[in-house]
Amino acid sequence: RMHGTPSGSTPAALLLSIGCLLSEVLPLAAAPALTGSSGYAVIFDAGSTGTRVHVYRFERAHGGSAPPMVRAVPGGSLKVKPGVSSFASAPPLAGQSILPLLDLASRIVPVAQQPDAIVLLRATGGMRLVPEPRRSQLYDALFTAVASHPSQLKAPREAFGTLSGELEGVYAFLSVNHLLARTGQISPSEIGSVGALDLGGASTQIVTPLPRAANAAAGAVPVFLPGNTGGRDAKVFSHSHLGFGNKQAMAALTPLELSACLPSGACTNGAWDLTISGSVTDGFCGTGKPVVCEAGIARALGKFDHGVGQPAVQGRRFIGMSLLFYAVNFARLAGHLPPRAPPRYTASELTAAAHALCAEPYAALFDRLKGRDPLTPDGAVAWRCFDLLYASRLLTDGYRLPPNEAVVEFDGEIDGTELEWTLGAVHAHLAGA
């Protein structure tokens, strides 16, 4: 726990030295020795809806002045559902749930390099809601699953834990800026100039650059940015709003509002599974009334904490990732947002596209778009109406972005690498290893 921050608190201003930053990735005393200029990192992202493994290969530049090249290994990502937090009443099942991910990683990382691979599991929003001692029991089970796996991919118990929301945001920010620099979209000296907006099931994060003169009262988080000149320090504002992920926001709506957030003809059976009309048991059917849905979202966002010291964001450039991107990408495939390069849209455009999505009868929408978007499983098609409405109101009501300025670029990957906090975590670890 850093700087005496009590468990469960979410400080508005979180001050971290680079040593503290890296210790959250993997305690340096327990980190594997990097015996060469290249290696592998196996990062488990235990989110609220599922756990995904990412396998990365890294290469250090000769001389050590430039940042390492970190690339996702093709075929090295896999997700299993549900999230580990759902096993709170039966922790051993959490360990069993990640075995397919371990099997995949052990097939990809060469046996000779497995003992030196970086192995890390960090849980995000869902596990922040699990109380002790259940949380520790879940991590014990996950550690045991890795320790008993026949591969040589191993990690100390300290490598299994909950990632703070602020650090989740910082690592997403590092991922964004390194990938933009790698593709020439920003210069090496501009690494750290682009903000990040992330939306998950349980929480949402914002990270935005701050002037060098910013201080703790402004919510400054010092981070180290490797660069061609050996690196530099920068300051960012990072905050996680727990309880404002899309699943948590959905749970805050009334049944009437939820019905309005689904296209007409889409029905739940009480377990969030969707059917096309038919009988409903302990569930409800969509009415396709986006105005009513928006009103419910606005009410839920009325509890958004604006007292955390977020600086003004007008004129800033942001990358919107994860569920923000999934919703926008689906609306674009549906023909309700125009194709655009770079994919920057205003919140007002998202609202209009969401209204158009909500107005389509579910049977027609499903028939037209099922299987077209690999990021939208069949069971999620109807919920994209809500997802897009929530994204648009989160940007304006939550983060107070101007509704008619296209300051957010919605991306799922850059240069073939998925935009995930996991890539930033690898960069942070390598910077201190």
Side-chain angles (χ1 to χ4, degrees):
R1 183 60 54 179
M2 295 162 291
H3 296 282
T5 302
S7 177
S9 69
T10 305
L14 179 62
L15 279 172
L16 303 174
S17 68
I18 185 61
C20 287
L21 178 69
L22 292 171
S23 70
E24 272 295 290
V25 183
L26 185 61
L28 296 183
L34 299 176
T35 56
S37 61
S38 65
Y40 288 85
V42 178
I43 314 295
F44 296 89
D45 176 4
S48 58
T49 61
T51 302
R52 183 182 292 276
V53 68
H54 298 270
V55 181
Y56 296 100
R57 179 172 173 78
F58 60 84
E59 295 184 11
R60 294 178 180 275
H62 293 293
S65 60
M69 180 68 71
V70 182
R71 292 188 179 275
V73 177
S77 179
L78 178 67
K79 184 174 183 177
V80 293
K81 294 183 177 182
V84 295
S85 59
S86 66
F87 299 111
S89 60
L93 296 180
Q96 295 177 27
S97 75
I98 68 167
L99 293 180
L101 309 183
L102 279 166
D103 292 341
L104 174 71
S106 65
R107 291 194 299 268
I108 290 176
V109 180
V111 173
Q113 292 183 273
Q114 287 182 13
D116 291 324
I118 300 166
V119 179
L120 170 75
L121 184 146
R122 283 289 184 259
T124 54
M127 283 291 281
R128 293 177 201 136
L129 299 171
V130 176
E132 291 289 4
R134 290 294 190 186
R135 189 188 309 172
S136 293
Q137 292 168 356
L138 286 166
Y139 290 132
D140 288 342
L142 293 164
F143 165 71
T144 299
V146 174
S148 60
H149 193 265
S151 74
Q152 295 301 307
L153 295 170
K154 305 301 177 187
R157 172 62 179 81
E158 293 78 10
F160 300 78
T162 305
L163 184 67
S164 75
E166 283 69 30
L167 284 174
E168 182 182 358
V170 167
Y171 297 149
F173 165 83
L174 289 174
S175 297
V176 163
N177 281 273
H178 276 289
L179 287 173
L180 290 174
R182 192 170 85 190
T183 55
Q185 297 183 52
I186 60 175
S187 68
S189 64
E190 292 176 308
I191 292 177
S193 64
V194 180
L197 294 168
D198 195 4
L199 176 62
S203 63
T204 177
Q205 286 74 235
I206 181 172
V207 186
T208 184
L210 290 173
R212 285 181 178 267
N215 54 37
V221 180
V223 296
F224 179 77
L225 301 172
N228 290 332
T229 58
R232 61 184 175 86
D233 291 322
K235 291 180 179 178
V236 301
F237 171 86
S238 178
H239 188 77
S240 177
H241 294 269
L242 185 61
F244 288 93
N246 81 325
K247 291 293 189 294
Q248 292 290 307
M250 194 182 296
L253 302 185
T254 67
L256 181 66
E257 292 164 344
L258 275 173
S259 295
C261 295
L262 285 173
S264 62
C267 300
T268 78
N269 64 4
W272 303 106
D273 296 323
L274 293 169
T275 62
I276 298 175
S277 297
S279 60
V280 181
T281 302
D282 297 324
F284 52 84
C285 289
T287 58
K289 296 180 178 179
V291 174
V292 177
C293 178
E294 262 196 285
I297 290 171
R299 178 180 52 76
L301 285 170
K303 297 180 181 179
F304 201 82
D305 188 355
H306 290 110
V308 296
Q310 178 187 310
V313 293
Q314 285 79 2
R316 291 286 188 189
R317 179 186 174 189
F318 288 92
I319 300 294
M321 49 200 292
S322 302
L323 280 166
L324 293 170
F325 167 72
Y326 302 158
V328 167
N329 186 62
F330 183 82
R332 191 166 49 215
L333 289 173
H336 298 309
L337 284 173
R340 196 174 286 168
R344 295 176 189 159
Y345 302 93
T346 69
S348 295
E349 287 178 303
L350 301 193
T351 300
H355 279 241
L357 264 182
C358 297
E360 288 196 55
Y362 179 55
L365 179 69
F366 185 81
D367 186 61
R368 187 165 71 87
L369 291 166
K370 65 178 179 181
R372 284 193 57 194
D373 181 6
L375 299 172
T376 301
D378 289 351
V381 169
W383 292 113
R384 290 302 187 223
C385 161
F386 166 81
D387 293 338
L388 199 59
L389 276 175
Y390 185 64
S392 66
R393 295 303 294 250
L394 177 65
L395 295 180
T396 56
D397 297 18
Y399 292 126
R400 294 181 170 171
L401 291 170
N404 296 311
E405 291 183 24
V407 296
V408 182
E409 178 179 323
F410 299 89
D411 286 310
E413 63 176 41
I414 296 176
D415 193 30
T417 298
E418 285 185 80
L419 280 175
E420 301 283 353
W421 65 261
T422 51
L423 175 64
V426 176
H427 272 289
H429 174 77
L430 294 176

